[in-house]
Amino acid sequence: MYEAVSVLLEVVSAMFQGYCMQYFYGCFLEGRMRNRRMNGLASAVFYGTLRLAAGSVIPQDNGSFGIFIRLAVSAGMASAGAFYRGGGKMRLFLTTVFMAVSEISAFLAYTAGQSGNALIALWGWCVEKEFIVSASVLSAIVHVTVIGSGVLMFLVLSVVMYCPLRSVAKAFQEKSYRTGNTELLFLITPGLTGILICSLLRAVLLTMEDGAPKQMYDTYPSLVILVPVILILSLVSIVAGVKLFQGMIDRNRERSRRMILEKQITGLQEHMGEMERVYSGIRGMRHDMKNTLSIMMRLAAGKEEILQSYAEELNQTLDRLEFRFKTGNPVADTLLNMKYHEAVHAVPDLRMDAKGLGFPENLLIQSFDIGIILGNALDNAMEACEKLKAKEPDTATFIRISSFWKRELFFLKVENSFDGKLVRKPGNEFPVTDKADRENHGAGLANIKSTAEKYQGTMDFKVMDRVFVLSVMMKNENITI
């Protein structure tokens, strides 16, 4: 029975490690098979089979040659990752972390299994003291102890292996991030350290004393506590390193977003000043020209019908010399008119409708924040319409902007046509930009959300057929920065 249970535990352990491998790789890389579950099952079974076969190939001695062979075979078993597509650097990171976690979990499981030896020694003491006198009872107790020790080792292996891999997969949110050489070295160093620590421990695990093998735990009992602590700290350093790296990415991205926001605000200030000067000039010109036309029309009354008709047409033309969009908010008017002229330059037949856009009289939201939200929303909408027009020249394109307010809440909605293709990746809150310069693009929705959150608001988006709908809600209140 003991042999059957031992073989069963070995098979289950190998297959569980295969499951952990396919889970870990699958969180970062795309499977080669179309069916994700079949791809995961195939890679798990392949790895588990290799693991079982390696048990009869790896030398049992812990000398230099045996340790080298063990590491080489472990790296070879990671070839099960060939079931997944991915770049060399990411694959190297995954392989290093998985090997480190696998080695550390196996060593911790082995250490936990030493409790079985302590219990067997206890049963021997009981026999000496004649607390146990029946050979059959002793045999049963020993078998139960050995089987229990094997189950404990499996449980420790499972928990210690799965939890760190899951933590790394969750902490590393930017799975599509292009890692540089220095960043890769930063990521794999804790894993390499863990692998080397396990190799060192295997080398000193057994020593010869008076011609008989003796475990280091017997020679140095304190290592029963120190070794697990060192290994657990090694696992913590792997997870902490990934979290620190993700934090660095987040801080760099936030810095880039702030730089983009600063450029947007600077550009908005310049455009507002320029448009205000132009608008003031137009108002002054209209006032002067209308006075001049009034005088001309009086002088020409009853004398020259042609002159009067021309003056009336010119007066109507001046009445039309206004902004195309007039919402009552100077920032919104500036942006709408400026973005409209930019959009129709790229997409001449673009229809932009802002009749439903208005603002409450007691608007407390800062004008620059309105500009940031509206500017980013219009940039994204214009880019989507331009992309759709390039793919389908005969398709109608449009942008609709509307708003409403209810008590202290202000709602803004921007709808636009697009090609219907939205690239989403696991762990990414927003759609992924298809531009090469991802560091300086794709931050529009993030900027909108961060600005809305300043006013205890939020942002949401959805796709209805081939229409992208962006909704922003903010509380109409003053904020203190």
Side-chain angles (χ1 to χ4, degrees):
M1 179 181 177
Y2 166 73
E3 290 77 9
V5 174
S6 178
V7 171
L8 179 61
L9 285 175
E10 186 177 356
V11 172
V12 173
S13 176
M15 292 304 166
F16 181 79
Q17 292 180 65
Y19 166 79
C20 291
M21 188 281 301
Q22 66 84 26
Y23 164 77
F24 188 54
Y25 275 73
C27 288
F28 290 84
L29 307 177
E30 295 181 1
R32 295 189 180 276
M33 299 182 185
R34 293 184 178 180
N35 190 314
R36 183 180 180 87
R37 291 185 178 180
M38 288 300 299
N39 191 89
L41 179 61
S43 59
V45 171
F46 181 72
Y47 179 87
T49 304
L50 285 178
R51 192 86 188 177
L52 291 172
S56 59
V57 175
I58 299 178
Q60 297 301 314
D61 67 282
N62 290 319
S64 301
F65 180 74
I67 293 174
F68 174 77
I69 293 297
R70 182 183 296 274
L71 291 177
V73 172
S74 297
M77 287 189 296
S79 63
F83 283 86
Y84 298 91
R85 298 187 182 94
K89 292 181 179 179
M90 178 57 71
R91 189 176 295 277
L92 178 58
F93 162 71
L94 296 177
T95 302
T96 303
V97 171
F98 181 76
M99 284 182 60
V101 173
S102 178
E103 289 290 312
I104 293 173
S105 60
F107 214 100
L108 286 173
Y110 171 80
T111 304
Q114 297 306 303
S115 59
N117 296 336
L119 286 176
I120 291 176
L122 175 62
W123 307 142
W125 179 81
C126 291
V127 170
E128 291 178 2
K129 298 298 182 179
E130 296 184 352
F131 295 131
I132 300 176
V133 296
S134 173
S136 60
V137 172
L138 176 63
S139 177
I141 293 176
V142 170
H143 278 81
V144 170
T145 302
V146 173
I147 292 174
S149 177
V151 173
L152 177 63
M153 291 176 64
F154 170 72
L155 292 176
V156 171
L157 174 71
S158 302
V159 173
V160 176
M161 188 170 188
Y162 176 74
C163 291
L165 293 178
R166 185 173 182 270
S167 298
V168 170
K170 290 185 64 176
F172 203 143
Q173 299 175 4
E174 300 293 331
K175 296 178 173 59
S176 59
Y177 182 81
R178 296 180 180 180
T179 309
N181 294 332
T182 304
E183 295 169 325
L184 177 64
L185 180 61
F186 174 82
L187 285 171
I188 67 175
T189 296
L192 291 175
T193 303
I195 294 173
L196 293 177
I197 289 175
C198 290
S199 299
L200 176 62
L201 290 175
R202 290 185 188 280
V204 299
L205 179 63
L206 290 177
T207 58
M208 300 300 295
E209 188 173 317
D210 298 331
K214 192 172 185 179
Q215 291 191 10
M216 64 177 183
Y217 294 127
D218 298 331
T219 306
Y220 306 102
S222 60
L223 293 181
V224 176
I225 297 176
L226 291 178
V227 168
V229 170
I230 293 173
L231 294 177
I232 291 173
L233 288 177
S234 182
L235 285 177
V236 171
S237 68
I238 294 174
V239 178
V242 173
K243 290 185 176 181
L244 180 61
F245 180 71
Q246 180 62 46
M248 292 168 56
I249 295 177
D250 293 339
R251 284 191 292 272
N252 290 336
R253 179 165 283 110
E254 184 64 27
R255 189 180 298 112
S256 298
R257 288 174 183 169
R258 289 182 180 178
M259 292 177 61
I260 294 173
L261 280 174
E262 290 176 359
K263 291 180 180 179
Q264 289 178 341
I265 292 175
T266 302
L268 186 59
Q269 289 175 325
E270 294 176 355
H271 285 297
M272 284 180 60
E274 181 181 352
M275 293 301 292
E276 184 62 31
R277 289 192 296 270
V278 172
Y279 195 31
S280 299
I282 291 175
R283 287 198 300 266
M285 184 178 67
R286 286 183 67 254
H287 182 267
D288 294 341
M289 288 297 294
K290 288 180 74 71
N291 289 337
T292 302
L293 286 174
S294 178
I295 296 173
M296 290 174 60
M297 291 171 65
R298 290 179 183 178
L299 292 176
K303 297 180 180 180
E304 297 290 342
E305 295 182 0
I306 297 177
L307 179 60
Q308 185 173 1
S309 176
Y310 173 77
E312 289 176 354
E313 291 180 1
L314 184 58
N315 191 33
Q316 293 175 1
T317 301
L318 287 173
D319 288 336
R320 293 194 298 269
L321 193 58
E322 289 282 359
F323 279 0
R324 182 182 183 89
F325 302 98
K326 296 174 63 177
T327 65
N329 185 287
V331 174
D333 293 345
T334 299
L335 275 172
L336 288 171
N337 286 277
M338 180 180 67
K339 297 297 182 181
Y340 173 76
H341 290 294
E342 292 180 7
V344 296
H345 179 73
V347 185
D349 59 346
L350 174 69
R351 292 182 294 107
M352 184 181 290
D353 180 10
K355 294 179 181 179
L357 178 61
F359 299 90
E361 294 182 359
N362 60 335
L363 183 66
L364 301 177
I365 300 172
Q366 294 182 7
S367 297
F368 284 142
D369 292 326
I370 291 290
I372 289 170
I373 293 174
L374 193 57
N376 280 288
L378 288 174
D379 284 340
N380 290 341
M382 289 161 51
E383 182 181 337
C385 290
E386 185 177 350
K387 185 178 178 180
L388 173 61
K389 203 67 176 178
K391 290 183 177 180
E392 305 173 17
D394 297 331
T395 303
T397 55
F398 67 88
I399 300 176
R400 290 193 293 264
I401 310 106
S402 59
S403 65
F404 69 94
W405 52 93
K406 186 175 182 181
R407 295 181 181 177
E408 72 276 9
L409 297 179
F410 177 74
F411 299 86
L412 175 68
K413 183 166 71 172
V414 179
E415 304 172 83
N416 64 270
S417 52
F418 81 117
D419 59 6
K421 296 180 180 179
L422 207 62
V423 181
R424 302 291 299 273
K425 289 192 175 183
N428 288 354
E429 182 180 3
F430 307 111
V432 180
T433 179
D434 56 359
K435 293 186 177 181
D437 187 7
R438 294 187 179 182
E439 291 299 319
N440 295 321
H441 293 92
L445 292 178
N447 288 341
I448 292 174
K449 181 180 180 181
S450 62
T451 304
E453 289 175 346
K454 289 169 55 178
Y455 297 89
Q456 303 181 37
T458 186
M459 178 218 72
D460 188 24
F461 62 89
K462 60 182 178 180
V463 175
M464 301 175 61
D465 195 9
R466 300 219 309 173
V467 178
F468 186 87
V469 181
L470 172 68
S471 303
V472 182
M473 185 272 289
M474 294 180 290
K475 192 173 182 181
N476 185 28
E477 63 178 4
N478 286 315
I479 62 170
T480 302
I481 301 178

